[in-house]
Amino acid sequence: MEAPDGGRAVSKDKDDIRPGQSAELLKELHILTREGKLNQDSRRKLKQVYHLHQFIEKLLLELPAAPEHPSIVDHGAGKSYLGFILYDLFLKPRGVGQVYGVETRPELVERSRQLAARLGFDRMSFLHLSAADAVRSDSLPAEVDMVTALHACDTATDDAIEFGLARRARFMVLVPCCQAEVAACLRQSKALQLSRTPLAELWRHPLHTRELGSQVTNVLRCLYLEACGYQVTVTELVGWEHSLKNELILARRVGHGKRSAAERLRQLLSEFGLDALASSRFSRLPPA
């Protein structure tokens, strides 16, 4: 691996590094070693981010060509792998758009700010906020083109969705992680549900509770997005051998919400004994 031509990465294996990718950026993100090498763990991480970039790029190309577009808000940004890669591969060559990284850990926010400054990525901003607090923040645009959340844990994905709905995001790109809220609710009402319906056998054992809780969480999220005016596609991010947190939810704002989706969501909440979540997680549902 070498980095000629102003620090742009060149790889003998074209599947590893994208043409024109910044070698300095990949080293700073610890994807490349200082010698310009990829280890197996970094290769898996890069594969996930690149694959997600492919989905995102197709959506961004639908936006009007204008200096203010695209505006991308990345929730649970962490070290901002995704935001930096999007900026380097899409925004920087076009000279337009803005990436906002939202992260709760102040040391990661400061690290990302310093890295963006060193690289000259001047249209990247990093905010020390939770996704829930971001909904009320004046530091973010009133309307945004895209909301992303890559492996945002538990209810942080729901908070990212709420932000997207509040800011009328044209697109949402979500890879949920570690959903625990619904599983906890299922455990609390397990005895009652077992006496009420044979469906409760689906979550009688703790392992099944966790797995079913994760599945139900994402189904409810998709129905909520459809009820709020989004067209939803669910697919795999990468092969399961690379990551078990592999469900990719793509949402596109299309206008009026689907009443049938809202009805189905309420029916599922009732069937699984999750009615308490209606007001806390799905407050934007249209009236029944």
Side-chain angles (χ1 to χ4, degrees):
M1 176 80 63
E2 299 175 348
D5 302 326
R8 311 309 292 182
V10 179
S11 173
K12 293 180 181 179
D13 185 350
K14 293 182 180 179
D15 292 331
D16 286 342
I17 306 296
R18 292 289 176 86
Q21 181 78 72
S22 167
E24 183 182 357
L25 170 63
L26 296 181
K27 289 177 182 179
E28 291 286 352
L29 294 177
H30 303 295
I31 291 174
L32 286 180
T33 67
R34 287 301 167 189
E35 293 74 33
K37 303 293 184 182
L38 274 171
N39 61 35
Q40 193 58 38
D41 181 62
S42 295
R43 187 172 281 108
R44 283 195 296 269
K45 187 180 299 181
L46 195 60
K47 182 181 178 69
Q48 289 184 55
V49 175
Y50 277 165
H51 199 59
L52 186 55
H53 173 265
Q54 285 183 315
F55 286 104
I56 291 174
E57 183 179 41
K58 291 178 183 178
L59 300 177
L60 294 180
L61 288 172
E62 297 181 21
L63 298 171
E68 66 272 20
H69 298 293
S71 54
I72 302 169
V73 180
D74 183 28
H75 286 281
K79 295 180 180 178
S80 294
Y81 287 98
L82 178 59
F84 278 112
I85 295 292
L86 287 173
Y87 191 97
D88 193 38
L89 292 181
F90 192 91
L91 274 69
K92 186 178 180 182
R94 291 166 174 79
V96 297
Q98 180 86 22
V99 174
Y100 302 86
V102 175
E103 172 56 44
T104 59
R105 289 165 287 184
E107 69 277 10
L108 296 184
V109 172
E110 183 57 30
R111 179 184 180 277
S112 294
R113 287 172 178 167
Q114 292 177 6
L115 178 55
R118 284 201 303 275
L119 295 173
F121 289 8
D122 55 359
R123 297 190 313 283
M124 294 191 77
S125 302
F126 301 93
L127 294 86
H128 178 210
L129 290 171
S130 67
D133 289 338
V135 175
R136 299 178 292 275
S137 174
D138 294 331
S139 300
L140 292 159
E143 293 193 7
V144 301
D145 291 318
M146 179 176 288
V147 169
T148 62
L150 176 58
H151 295 160
C153 283
D154 197 20
T155 58
T157 298
D158 300 290
D159 293 334
I161 290 172
E162 284 302 309
F163 175 87
L165 295 176
R167 302 299 172 106
R168 293 179 52 80
R170 298 190 187 201
F171 304 107
M172 297 192 216
V173 180
L174 313 166
V175 182
C177 183
C178 305
Q179 299 96 309
E181 184 180 43
V182 167
C185 293
L186 291 174
R187 280 193 292 270
Q188 289 173 0
S189 63
K190 186 179 297 185
L192 175 63
Q193 295 303 320
L194 279 168
S195 67
R196 188 179 72 87
T197 171
L199 282 177
E201 292 292 337
L202 293 173
W203 66 93
R204 179 160 63 92
H205 298 288
L207 177 62
H208 294 160
T209 305
R210 186 186 70 194
E211 296 301 317
L212 181 69
S214 179
Q215 180 78 354
V216 169
T217 299
N218 286 340
V219 170
L220 294 173
R221 286 167 173 163
C222 291
L223 287 170
Y224 187 42
L225 286 165
E226 290 177 341
C228 292
Y230 285 77
Q231 180 186 65
V232 176
T233 302
V234 181
T235 187
E236 292 180 1
L237 175 57
V238 289
W240 292 102
E241 70 275 13
H242 295 285
S243 174
L244 294 177
K245 307 301 182 183
N246 197 33
E247 186 169 339
L248 173 61
I249 300 172
L250 300 169
R252 174 198 305 269
R253 196 177 80 232
V254 292
H256 297 296
K258 291 174 62 176
R259 182 172 294 276
S260 61
E263 292 171 354
R264 286 285 180 160
L265 195 159
R266 289 192 177 93
Q267 289 168 354
L268 284 178
L269 291 175
S270 176
E271 189 65 38
F272 285 99
L274 301 171
D275 301 272
L277 295 180
S279 59
S280 62
R281 288 292 161 203
F282 308 109
S283 60
R284 294 177 184 270
L285 281 178

